[in-house]
């Protein structure tokens, strides 16, 4: 709040001015520092959120005429799936396991587009293994595929312990790189960033200008100012320390308190997943602490995949469950 007050006092720019992203922008510097991204001139676009960025990509793909197949990493959020349904894409689901996307299930179809989360998949909290990253690269080359790399959760740890993005590693295949700053600045001033392949820069920027309004300068510029200020590092340090403490409590709950099997846990992620029978979990914790991924619940003896978004809970809430004696 101290930063916001100071920024507002000094804010004197015309509210009708269109925000532009400079090469030396704090946002571009932050992306380079946290994710080792080399950002080409005019290759970055800003959006209010992830869905707006995906909408631009979907519209662009529909203009290509031969790219009507979208491969989605399953499970996938309803909003993302429905977006491509609304645009009339043929959707193929590709399942995941503890090593991330099952690359061996990718079909040999030309000119398809794959939407995946190789750094940290939500809601399973899994990461694409190095071996599968290589196989994915060769599949994309062979089938002239486009990849949409959804890296929105990499910022949960400021890139700590995270592999480099596909965008930075495989520069000879067309990859859209997508992330946002929600974890750092919250929903009020959130910005989603989209890095686009060099070959598509001109056409994408034209399409972008036709479908978005002028950026709200206050949101854009306060984010830039915050990333360039000393307040940012203080806030980030506290955020990471809190995340580490909550991760320790969450692991204690999953391993010691309940003994969940097939636990997918990455310390810096802020969420994890596991398989369990609903009857082995106290009913009061289902849909309040642990959320079943499936909407239809089968027999109580059948194991389900559960999401545990522990970063959203307070220390007292997590402590209460961790210290509760086994019934």
């Amino acid at each position: 709040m101290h930063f916001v007050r100071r920024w507002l006092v000094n804010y004197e720019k015309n509210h009708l001015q269109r925000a532009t992203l400079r090469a030396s922008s704090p946002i571009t510097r932050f992306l380079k520092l946290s994710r080792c991204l080399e950002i080409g001139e005019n290759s970055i676009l800003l959006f209010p959120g992830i869905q707006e960025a995906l909408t631009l990509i979907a519209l662009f793909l529909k203009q290509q005429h031969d790219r009507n197949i979208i491969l989605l990493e399953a499970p996938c959020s309803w909003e993302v799936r429905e977006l491509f349904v609304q645009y009339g894409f043929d959707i193929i689901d590709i399942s995941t396991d503890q090593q991330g996307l099952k690359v061996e299930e990718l079909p040999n179809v030309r000119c398809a587009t794959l939407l995946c989360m190789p750094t940290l998949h939500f809601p399973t909290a899994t990461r694409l293994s190095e071996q599968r990253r290589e196989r994915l690269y060769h599949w994309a080359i062979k089938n002239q595929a486009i990849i949409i790399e959804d890296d929105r959760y990499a910022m949960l740890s400021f890139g700590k312990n995270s592999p480099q993005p596909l965008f930075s590693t495989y520069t000879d295949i067309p990859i859209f790189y997508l992330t946002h700053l929600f974890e750092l600045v919250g929903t009020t001033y959130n910005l989603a960033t989209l890095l686009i392949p060099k070959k598509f820069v001109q056409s994408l920027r034209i399409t972008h200008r036709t479908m978005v309004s002028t950026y709200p300068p206050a949101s854009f510029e306060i984010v830039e100012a915050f990333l360039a200020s000393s307040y940012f590092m203080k806030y980030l340090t506290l955020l990471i320390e809190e995340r580490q403490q909550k991760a320790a409590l969450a692991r204690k709950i999953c391993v010691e308190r309940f003994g969940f099997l097939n636990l997918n846990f990455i310390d810096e992620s802020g969420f994890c997943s596991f398989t369990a029978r609903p009857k082995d979990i106290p009913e009061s914790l289902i849909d309040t602490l642990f959320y079943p991924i499936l909407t239809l619940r089968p027999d109580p003896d059948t194991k389900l995949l559960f999401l545990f978004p522990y970063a959203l809970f307070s220390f007292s809430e997590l402590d209460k469950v961790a210290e509760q004696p086994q019934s």
Side-chain angles (χ1 to χ4, degrees):
M1 290 304 300
H2 293 296
F3 167 78
V4 173
R5 292 192 192 99
R6 177 177 293 183
W7 183 87
L8 288 173
V9 168
N10 296 327
Y11 182 67
E12 299 176 349
K13 295 190 177 180
N14 190 324
H15 70 282
L16 295 177
Q17 178 182 353
R18 173 180 287 274
T20 56
L21 200 62
R22 305 177 303 277
S24 59
S25 160
I27 291 179
T28 57
R29 289 201 301 270
F30 171 75
L31 292 174
K32 290 178 181 179
L33 177 63
S34 62
R35 300 300 287 133
C36 300
L37 294 168
E38 288 299 325
I39 301 173
E41 186 176 358
N42 298 321
S43 67
I44 184 170
L45 300 176
L46 301 180
F47 300 84
I50 294 290
Q51 287 297 110
E52 289 82 356
L54 287 175
T55 299
L56 174 66
I57 296 175
L59 181 58
F60 168 76
L61 293 174
K62 294 301 289 187
Q63 293 172 344
Q64 307 307 304
H65 304 299
D66 60 344
R67 291 194 176 274
N68 199 51
I69 297 177
I70 186 81
L71 311 176
L72 297 179
E73 193 172 20
C76 177
S77 73
W78 177 88
E79 292 85 358
V80 170
R81 169 179 289 277
E82 188 61 24
L83 171 66
F84 289 101
V85 168
Q86 291 295 323
Y87 271 94
F89 282 88
D90 296 327
I91 298 176
I92 300 176
D93 289 316
I94 309 298
S95 57
T96 59
D97 61 16
Q98 290 188 309
Q99 297 184 58
L101 181 75
K102 291 185 177 180
V103 179
E104 62 273 15
E105 293 185 3
L106 292 171
N108 287 318
V109 292
R110 297 181 69 81
C111 298
T113 301
L114 169 67
L115 172 58
C116 62
M117 306 175 78
T119 300
L120 182 58
H121 177 256
F122 181 86
T124 63
T126 57
R127 178 171 288 165
L128 190 64
S129 67
E130 286 297 323
Q131 184 179 15
R132 289 187 180 180
R133 285 167 66 100
E134 282 294 317
R135 294 180 64 180
L136 174 58
Y137 167 74
H138 292 297
W139 171 85
I141 290 288
K142 177 182 177 182
N143 293 282
Q144 297 181 336
I146 289 177
I147 295 177
I148 305 171
E149 182 177 11
D150 187 342
D151 203 31
R152 71 181 80 183
Y153 297 107
M155 297 308 172
L156 291 172
S157 62
F158 193 56
K160 181 182 178 182
N161 300 325
S162 298
Q164 281 198 358
L166 301 177
F167 183 89
S168 301
T169 307
Y170 305 123
T171 57
D172 54 342
I173 57 177
I175 298 176
F176 290 91
Y177 177 86
L178 182 60
T179 191
H180 66 178
L181 304 181
F182 164 76
E183 177 68 14
L184 302 179
V185 297
T187 54
T188 303
Y189 300 111
N190 185 32
L191 286 176
T193 61
L194 175 66
L195 303 187
I196 54 184
K198 185 183 299 185
K199 61 188 293 187
F200 300 147
V201 166
Q202 184 174 359
S203 59
L204 257 296
R205 291 188 69 86
I206 293 174
T207 304
H208 180 240
R209 289 182 64 86
T210 66
M211 62 177 292
V212 298
S213 301
T214 303
Y215 301 125
S219 297
F220 173 82
E221 293 178 8
I222 198 171
V223 169
E224 284 227 309
F226 179 59
L227 293 179
S229 73
S230 60
Y231 292 96
F232 172 64
M233 291 308 300
K234 296 175 184 177
Y235 168 74
L236 186 63
T237 300
L238 293 174
L239 189 70
I240 292 177
E241 289 177 353
E242 178 182 293
R243 179 61 47 75
Q244 291 172 341
Q245 294 171 17
K246 287 186 176 181
L249 276 174
R251 187 179 287 276
K252 181 178 180 180
I253 291 171
C254 292
V255 177
E256 299 179 19
R257 172 74 173 83
F258 291 105
F260 291 138
L261 302 176
N262 299 320
L263 177 65
N264 298 317
F265 200 102
I266 298 176
D267 285 339
E268 62 270 15
S269 70
F271 62 93
C272 63
S273 70
F274 58 86
T275 55
R277 297 179 300 181
K279 69 177 185 179
D280 294 333
I281 300 176
E283 188 174 351
S284 62
L285 297 183
I286 296 179
D287 290 324
T288 59
L289 191 74
F290 308 130
Y291 297 87
I293 302 300
L294 297 179
T295 55
L296 298 177
R297 299 186 184 180
D299 184 271
D301 288 324
T302 302
K303 291 184 177 180
L304 299 181
L305 181 66
F306 284 86
L307 168 67
F308 180 17
Y310 57 83
L312 299 181
F313 296 96
S314 66
F315 284 110
S316 61
E317 289 173 317
L318 295 174
D319 270 323
K320 183 179 178 180
V321 178
E323 300 303 329
Q324 184 178 349
Q326 265 300 8
S327 58

